[in-house]
């Protein structure tokens, strides 16, 4: 994935949807948990040394799975390489649940599915397409027929690979500064 480092750094300075100091362990074998300031901004999870303003790295929260690992801990792994897991330890089980829910809601795919759901609910109630006024009523990526045929979802945390045509083949699902 191509990215602009300056834009990512500017994004990392934006107000966070969630932020906390958590213990974080990277995917390398033998890595140790280190205290990191973890900051969720839109669909990026930035991590910093607690005393520094520039991020050490960022995880793009697309095509990934968020899973409970142990009480008070969760992991993030990516569809392309499930063995590459980032582990996080929270102060409590409640904090862990809050983080897992926020991370699952952070993906583009989750927002897209929510839009489709609410669009269809409004259409059922009013008989009108709420997006028609914006000239995007025929846009394929917002249509119900673009959902998987078996009704499963393909958002963060889902065991299903994304088959949406908007996803580029070989998309890495993560980036580092």
């Amino acid at each position: 994935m191509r990215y602009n480092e300056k834009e990512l750094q500017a994004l990392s300075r934006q107000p966070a949807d969630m932020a906390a100091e958590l213990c974080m362990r990277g995917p390398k074998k033998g890595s140790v948990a280190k205290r990191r300031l973890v900051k969720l901004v839109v669909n990026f999870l930035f991590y910093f040394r607690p005393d520094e303003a520039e991020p050490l790295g960022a995880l793009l929260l697309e095509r990934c799975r968020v899973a409970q690992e142990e009480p008070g801990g969760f992991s993030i792994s990516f569809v392309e390489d499930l063995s590459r897991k980032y582990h996080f330890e929270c102060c409590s089980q409640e904090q862990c649940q809050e983080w897992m829910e926020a991370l699952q809601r952070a993906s583009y795919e989750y927002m897209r599915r929510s839009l489709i759901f609410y669009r269809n609910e409004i259409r059922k109630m009013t008989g009108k397409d709420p997006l028609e006024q914006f000239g995007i009523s025929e846009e394929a990526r917002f249509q119900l027929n673009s959902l998987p045929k078996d009704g499963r979802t393909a958002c963060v945390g889902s065991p299903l690979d994304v088959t949406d045509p908007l996803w580029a083949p070989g998309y890495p699902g993560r980036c580092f500064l």
Side-chain angles (χ1 to χ4, degrees), residues 28 44 48-49 60 70 76 93 122 132-133 157-158 171:
K28 291 182 183 171
F44 279 94
F48 305 76
R49 286 191 181 99
L60 178 59
E70 66 268 345
I76 299 173
Q93 181 60 33
I122 292 170
E132 192 173 301
Q133 64 183 327
S158 167
Y171 179 79

Side-chain angles (χ1 to χ4, degrees), residues 34-78:
K34 295 180 182 174
R35 201 89 167 125
R36 298 287 182 233
L37 171 61
V38 180
K39 186 175 173 183
L40 176 62
V41 180
V42 191
N43 61 344
F44 279 94
L45 187 66
F46 294 97
Y47 51 96
F48 305 76
R49 286 191 181 99
D51 57 343
E52 292 183 8
E54 295 301 315
L56 287 172
L59 302 176
L60 178 59
L61 298 172
E62 299 296 339
R63 300 188 63 168
C64 65
R65 295 184 182 151
V66 177
Q68 178 96 36
E69 287 296 315
E70 66 268 345
F74 65 91
S75 67
I76 299 173
S77 58
F78 295 90

Side-chain angles (χ1 to χ4, degrees), residues 18-165:
M18 270 188 94
E21 279 194 25
L22 304 175
C23 287
M24 178 182 171
R25 191 174 33 141
K28 291 182 183 171
K29 200 170 189 104
S31 69
V32 250
K34 295 180 182 174
R35 201 89 167 125
R36 298 287 182 233
L37 171 61
V38 180
K39 186 175 173 183
L40 176 62
V41 180
V42 191
N43 61 344
F44 279 94
L45 187 66
F46 294 97
Y47 51 96
F48 305 76
R49 286 191 181 99
D51 57 343
E52 292 183 8
E54 295 301 315
L56 287 172
L59 302 176
L60 178 59
L61 298 172
E62 299 296 339
R63 300 188 63 168
C64 65
R65 295 184 182 151
V66 177
Q68 178 96 36
E69 287 296 315
E70 66 268 345
F74 65 91
S75 67
I76 299 173
S77 58
F78 295 90
V79 172
E80 287 80 16
D81 185 4
L82 293 175
S83 65
R84 202 167 161 85
K85 278 187 183 179
Y86 293 82
H87 298 269
F88 298 87
E89 297 169 18
C90 301
C91 297
S92 67
Q93 181 60 33
E94 292 79 26
Q95 183 187 38
C96 180
Q97 282 303 120
E98 286 176 29
W99 272 100
M100 288 176 58
E101 289 169 11
L103 294 171
Q104 290 169 343
R105 289 188 308 262
S107 76
Y108 165 82
E109 190 63 25
Y110 177 86
M111 290 183 263
R112 178 179 166 269
R113 301 232 178 250
S114 296
L115 174 68
I116 291 169
F117 172 79
Y118 289 116
R119 178 184 187 188
N120 288 325
E121 291 299 305
I122 292 170
R123 188 181 297 143
K124 285 178 196 173
M125 291 173 22
T126 65
K128 291 179 129 183
D129 185 347
L131 297 181
E132 192 173 301
Q133 64 183 327
F134 301 107
I136 54 175
S137 62
E138 298 304 317
E139 185 120 6
R141 67 178 170 216
F142 297 121
Q143 299 299 319
L144 189 58
N145 61 8
S146 67
L147 291 172
K149 300 274 188 267
D150 60 6
R152 294 184 294 174
T153 61
C155 60
V156 171
S158 167
L160 177 67
D161 287 345
V162 177
T163 57
D164 190 294

